[in-house]
Each structure stands twice: as structure tokens, then as C-alpha cells.
Amino acid sequence: MKKDLTPHLKRALLKLDQWTAQIRKTSPLSADGEKALLLRELVKEQLPDEDTRPAARQVR
Amino acid sequence: MKILVLQLARFGDIYATWPVLRALKRKYPKAKLHFLVRRHFAEACQGLDAVDRVWAFDTEAILAPVLEESVSIEESLKKLTGYLEILQNEKYDQVINLSFSPASSYLTHMISGPETEIHGYTRFDDGTLRLPDEYSSFFYAQVGIGRPNRVHVVDLMAGVAGCELQPGDWSLPNNVVEIDTPRPFIVIHIGASQERKSYPARMWAKVIERTREWWDGDIVLVGSASEVEKSNAITAECGLTRVIPLVGQTRLPQLFGILLRARVFIGCDSGPLHMASLTKTPVLNLSFASVNFWETGPKSAGSRILWAQSPVILEPEWVSEEAQRMIERQPGRNTRAEVVSPVDFFASLFLDDHEDFEWDLIKALYFGFDMPPLRTHVAQNAILRLSEINNLAIEQIKRIAIDPKGQTPYEILNRADEMFHTVSQLVPDLAPLARWVLTEKARVGPGPLGEVAAGTLAVHEAFQSQLNKFQIDSKEIQL
């Protein structure tokens, strides 16, 4: 049976949320900042119940 | 010219993208066409001769370090950087993102250079979502489960890519393993991309039992290795007489060969359904409220949709009877809709006589159709309220030009957006209208105050033009 990665994904998402909190306040985004935000989205979309529709009004 | 197309969704979405890639190749015959998919689903690119190169984006390898106990973000970023550098070094002239996800929008922005022509979701330099074309904007505002859109995702992807589809764009891969069987057969795909979109095993068994009463040929069961248990449950109940269980036993080229020979393919929302569109096999699609069949249903002509709120209330007898009617070329009895043709945007849409105000509203907003008459006084009243709020917003934007430092106009503009949203919740019929204006405002993006104000003003004025198209009998409305 495939291993349930949900706890690992949630832990990674929490750390990435902390990691990217400051990045989200900077404008324009640095290349490294944008990569971190992409990584966060890649983690998010692995979680079954996450809404992966992009929010346009919400800055990043 | 070098073009990169991104499709970071699943098997079915990749197969749904094939016709668009073929149309692109026809539009740019001399261009090098590259295709980026997730490594996990890259098998769905086998036999696709329209592209010159397939890139496999290895999400699992990139994420492995952050999923370790130490949550190594730096290591994951290093791996991600490696993939990005390879793609950036290709220096694409066009990047076309046909996945509509946040991750793909960041990726598109990062792969693209300053001269790159971008189609599909991407990002502004400050990281906000950028919808560079009308079709992306349409997708963002109107597409999704529970929404009234009836434009198929394949047509929207072609719009994003800026190409026109032709019937021949739905055709086979070049590596089909053709099968040779003496007896005709029906194919049933027992699974679906998600369990909530799937038909239960005991009900499939009843479909098979009922079908054997009128069908002399075989019934072939297909599905992935993870669905073998379900296949066993089905055959335990209905037996193996004239049933050929191939679940977990077919690679994709064999599955194409099976679909090619099938008289009818019966299945829910899944990758094989989109493969059946490429083999032009008529599909009997079992669809539920968890899916929008208009957007992701079959494209092969003659396909039919059987719809129920949930799988457990879709009677097996109906499924079997409809398959029989398809094979005997009789009109549908319980079908919700039928595919006429895979192309021609509106002409390709399914036949359906349901009155649908919200869909008519979408057609008026985006495709130049007449604005539909408002059905209730509540809706008429809501249009008047929206008009008042919108005119107030227009006044306030004009004040920004006079006094850029004043806070009140910004507060009022934010409140106006909230009001648009609230009206759409109170009067759901008008939700497409609110989504239209809010999405168009989001498209303005960041920039100097004057530019943002001018762009926002243009949207509010366009919104007012839309509102003015509604016919309102103001004598009957209590103001």
C-alpha cells in the first residue's frame, strides 16, 4: 500500500509558510523568493483537501 | 521558434491536451514544440508525434527533501533550481501554460524571459496572479465544479494557446497495440480519477448482469493496478461469463488498442475517457455532481452523458439500457446530453434543452449573445444596486486622480468589491457577473498609481456597460 504522506506534507507546508511569510511582503519578488513560493504550492497541491485555485486578489 | 507547453495535471488532462498540441504544430509547422508534464504522468506522452521533446518535471524528487524528518527546504530548492535552469536555458519564444494551477503559474513566470510571449496563468513581478489572455480570464472566473460554464476545457486550452482545433486533431498515438478478437465487445472502466467520481462495484456488477441479457459480445473491464480489488469484487458478484477482466493488466498502448475496437466505452470521469476521445470511441459517461461534464466530458461524436447527483442513485438498469440504445443507434432516453462534434466551439456543445439563465449570462458576458431577461424582481433589484455601487466606485476612482493620498476612495473601492461578492451570494443567478468584474479587476495588476487607476476605471466602465444591457422595469421595482 502507498505510504500516506499527509503528515509529512502538512509539516513541510507549515515550515514553508513560516519560510515564505516575509517573502510575501517584498515587492518585486526575488528569484529565490519566487522559487520558495513555487515549492510551497507544489507541497500544497499534494494535499488532498487543499483548494489549489489561485487567488488573484490575495498577494501571493 | 521554440515553444514550451506546460500541462502539469494528470493523465486525462494530458490526453485532453493532445489535440491542442496538434493544432499548435499545424499553426507553427517549423517551430520546435516542447511539452512539460509531471514525471509521474509522462507515460501519457508516448506515441504523441506532435511534439519534439517531452520534459518530465519530477515533483516527487523535488519534494523528497522537504518530506524528510529534517524538512530540508534548501535541498528541495536546490533540486528545483536545477530543473528551472535547464528550462530557462532553452530560451523559449513562447511559453503556453495549459494547467490552471498556482504552481504552474509560478513555473511559467520563472521559465519565461523578458521577451517571451506568455499564454495562460503566470505571475506579475510582485508575485500576484497574472491572467494574460481572455481565455485564462474566462477559466479563472467561470470554470469549475458547481459553476454554470458549458465551454469544454479542451476548447479553452486551444483558446489559451491561440490555435483552432480540427476534427483530425483527435487521433491515435503512433504506438497503438492493436488487438485481434473475433467477438465484439463493450469496455467498462471501473474506476475514476477520484473515488467520489466512481461508480460502486456492486452497481457495475448489476450493469454487467443486465447488459448480458441483450448483448452477445464480451464485456472488457479495464482500470489501473490499484483497482484490481474492485474488479475482483465486481466479478465475484456477476461471474466471468463473457466478462474479460483486464484491470491492472494493460499498458497505455494496449488500452488504446482496446478502446479502438470497443463498440462503446462506459465510464466515469477519468484518463481513459479522454483516450476514448482520441480513438473516437462513443462514450457513455456516468457523471455526477462532483464533476462538470460540460468541461471535462467526452469529445467523441455520439457520446452521451448519464447524470445523477451521486453515483448511488444512478440506476444500473439505466446505464445498461442507454448502452443498448447507443449500440442500436436509438435516441437517448435518460441522457442529460449528447456530443455532436468535437470542434466548432458552440456547435460542439452537447444538446440539452434545460433552461439555464446563468449559462446564458456567461454567453452574453463573453461571447456577444443578448443579455438574458432577468427572471425575478430580486435579480432586477440586485442589478440596480450593483449599478449604484459601480457608479460610486467610478466616482471614487476619478477622485484618486485628484487626491492620490486620500484613503477614502481606496476603502470605498474595497467595499465595492465586497458588495459585488455579497450580491452574487445573495442572488446566485448573478454570480457569473460578479466573477466577471472581480476577475477583470484582478487582471489590471500592479504598477504606478495612475496606470492602476486608469485600468481599474476602464473595468468599472465596462461593467457599467454590461449592467446597462439588462432590461429593468423600474416601475415594478421598489427602490
Side-chain angles (χ1 to χ4, degrees):
Chain A
M1 184 178 278
K2 208 175 169 186
K3 189 181 166 189
D4 180 15
L5 291 173
T6 306
H8 302 266
L9 288 162
K10 286 193 170 164
R11 190 182 54 201
L13 186 59
L14 195 66
K15 193 160 176 191
L16 276 160
D17 278 343
Q18 292 162 356
W19 182 285
T20 55
Q22 280 307 313
I23 292 169
R24 280 180 244 181
K25 291 175 191 161
T26 58
S27 179
L29 269 182
S30 67
D32 284 345
E34 194 165 11
K35 272 181 223 164
L37 289 165
L38 167 56
L39 185 61
R40 180 175 167 273
E41 291 299 338
L42 290 172
V43 170
K44 249 178 98 175
E45 64 187 19
Q46 301 291 317
L47 284 161
D49 298 324
E50 285 290 329
D51 180 3
T52 51
R53 284 179 60 81
R57 303 297 292 167
Q58 178 191 328
V59 178
R60 286 157 248 156
Chain B
M1 183 191 242
K2 261 169 118 175
I3 302 171
L4 176 70
V5 176
L6 287 86
Q7 179 46 276
L8 298 183
R10 295 157 177 258
F11 278 118
D13 304 276
I14 294 173
Y15 284 120
T17 306
W18 280 34
V20 182
L21 293 164
R22 286 169 172 149
L24 263 176
K25 193 68 182 174
R26 186 170 55 252
K27 185 175 178 183
Y28 303 107
K30 290 182 182 166
K32 290 278 176 212
L33 189 56
H34 291 189
F35 191 31
L36 178 71
V37 298
R38 288 182 200 266
R39 189 187 61 80
H40 190 69
F41 302 111
E43 203 183 342
C45 300
Q46 286 177 9
L48 172 62
D49 45 18
V51 299
D52 299 288
R53 176 160 202 169
V54 174
W55 293 105
F57 188 67
D58 197 342
T59 318
E60 285 167 26
I62 291 166
L63 294 186
V66 286
L67 299 182
E68 287 169 2
E69 208 57 41
S70 57
V71 194
S72 179
I73 292 174
E74 292 89 343
E75 272 308 302
S76 278
L77 286 174
K78 205 183 285 179
K79 283 178 185 281
L80 178 59
T81 303
Y83 279 96
L84 286 170
E85 281 176 355
I86 291 168
L87 293 167
Q88 284 161 344
N89 288 338
E90 290 287 332
K91 300 194 186 315
Y92 290 106
D93 300 290
Q94 270 191 49
V95 173
I96 302 172
N97 180 10
L98 299 181
S99 1
F100 299 88
S101 64
S104 69
S105 64
Y106 283 114
L107 197 53
T108 299
H109 184 237
M110 280 186 270
I111 291 168
S112 305
E115 303 298 319
T116 311
E117 185 180 323
I118 302 175
H119 301 249
Y121 285 16
T122 181
R123 294 273 154 180
F124 287 109
D125 286 340
D126 75 339
T128 46
L129 181 71
R130 182 178 163 222
L131 306 167
D133 51 88
E134 302 293 323
Y135 289 92
S136 296
S137 169
F138 182 94
F139 194 102
Y140 184 79
Q142 309 299 349
V143 170
I145 295 156
R147 292 185 175 180
N149 170 46
R150 294 188 183 188
V151 183
H152 200 284
V153 164
V154 176
D155 294 311
L156 290 173
M157 290 196 293
V160 169
C163 56
E164 282 188 28
L165 295 164
Q166 293 179 2
D169 294 329
W170 282 267
S171 60
L172 293 169
N174 60 14
N175 64 342
V176 175
V177 178
E178 294 210 30
I179 55 159
D180 185 22
T181 53
R183 292 155 58 79
F185 58 86
I186 291 169
V187 170
I188 292 179
H189 177 222
I190 63 167
S193 54
Q194 291 163 299
E195 191 51 37
R196 66 199 161 93
K197 301 177 184 175
S198 178
Y199 202 51
R202 64 184 167 79
M203 296 174 83
W204 277 131
K206 283 190 179 139
V207 170
I208 293 166
E209 283 167 0
R210 197 60 181 253
T211 302
R212 280 189 301 220
E213 292 171 11
W214 57 266
W215 174 245
D216 293 331
D218 292 325
I219 299 169
V220 176
L221 306 185
V222 297
S224 68
S226 65
E227 290 156 350
V228 170
E229 209 174 302
K230 184 172 183 180
S231 174
N232 291 339
I234 294 168
T235 51
E237 200 153 328
C238 67
L240 283 164
T241 307
R242 288 188 282 124
V243 175
I244 306 174
L246 295 180
V247 175
Q249 295 176 42
T250 51
R251 305 297 296 179
L252 294 167
Q254 281 114 19
L255 186 52
F256 267 116
I258 292 166
L259 292 171
L260 190 61
R261 291 283 311 279
R263 293 289 299 277
V264 169
F265 170 89
I266 310 176
C268 307
D269 182 60
S270 67
L273 178 143
H274 295 286
M275 294 168 78
S277 294
L278 296 173
T279 58
K280 298 184 172 68
T281 308
V283 174
L284 178 57
N285 179 207
L286 316 191
S287 189
F288 313 109
S290 52
V291 186
N292 182 344
F293 67 82
W294 300 100
E295 293 169 353
T296 54
K299 274 284 198 180
S300 31
S303 296
R304 295 179 187 179
I305 311 295
L306 269 182
W307 190 90
Q309 187 69 28
S310 75
V312 290
I313 55 174
L314 184 59
E315 298 289 342
E317 290 76 13
W318 289 9
V319 178
S320 177
E321 185 193 352
E322 208 56 51
Q324 183 179 11
R325 297 179 78 83
M326 283 177 74
I327 286 174
E328 293 174 356
R329 296 178 187 277
Q330 295 177 44
R333 177 168 289 169
N334 296 307
T335 43
R336 176 75 177 265
E338 182 167 340
V339 183
V340 181
S341 150
V343 293
D344 297 337
F345 216 72
F346 285 106
S348 71
L349 293 176
F350 307 76
L351 298 171
D352 187 290
D353 56 5
H354 287 65
E355 189 188 316
D356 190 335
F357 172 85
E358 290 172 85
W359 168 233
D360 289 341
L361 177 54
I362 287 176
K363 285 199 291 184
L365 289 170
Y366 291 90
F367 304 113
F369 286 73
D370 289 340
M371 202 55 94
L374 294 164
R375 296 182 294 189
T376 62
H377 284 176
V378 173
Q380 293 197 21
N381 214 343
I383 292 295
L384 287 177
R385 297 286 89 78
L386 285 171
S387 193
E388 286 167 6
I389 298 162
N390 192 53
N391 278 319
L392 182 62
I394 289 171
E395 276 176 32
Q396 295 302 326
I397 298 165
K398 287 177 178 167
R399 277 185 60 187
I400 291 174
I402 302 163
D403 179 18
K405 288 184 180 163
Q407 281 302 304
T408 313
Y410 297 101
E411 285 164 17
I412 291 179
L413 282 174
N414 284 336
R415 285 287 153 82
D417 287 359
E418 284 170 24
M419 294 289 282
F420 295 153
H421 185 65
T422 305
V423 168
S424 76
Q425 286 178 319
L426 292 172
V427 190
D429 274 5
L430 300 178
L433 189 63
R435 288 198 296 265
W436 179 87
V437 66
L438 293 171
T439 302
E440 292 306 306
K441 283 187 78 175
R443 289 184 74 191
V444 174
L449 181 67
E451 277 178 29
V452 174
T456 308
L457 180 63
V459 173
H460 280 279
E461 286 175 342
F463 187 45
Q464 197 56 48
S465 301
Q466 299 281 19
L467 293 170
N468 291 344
K469 291 178 190 168
F470 287 99
Q471 290 188 350
I472 293 175
D473 185 353
S474 49
K475 284 181 200 156
E476 290 191 30
I477 304 292
Q478 195 70 41
L479 292 172

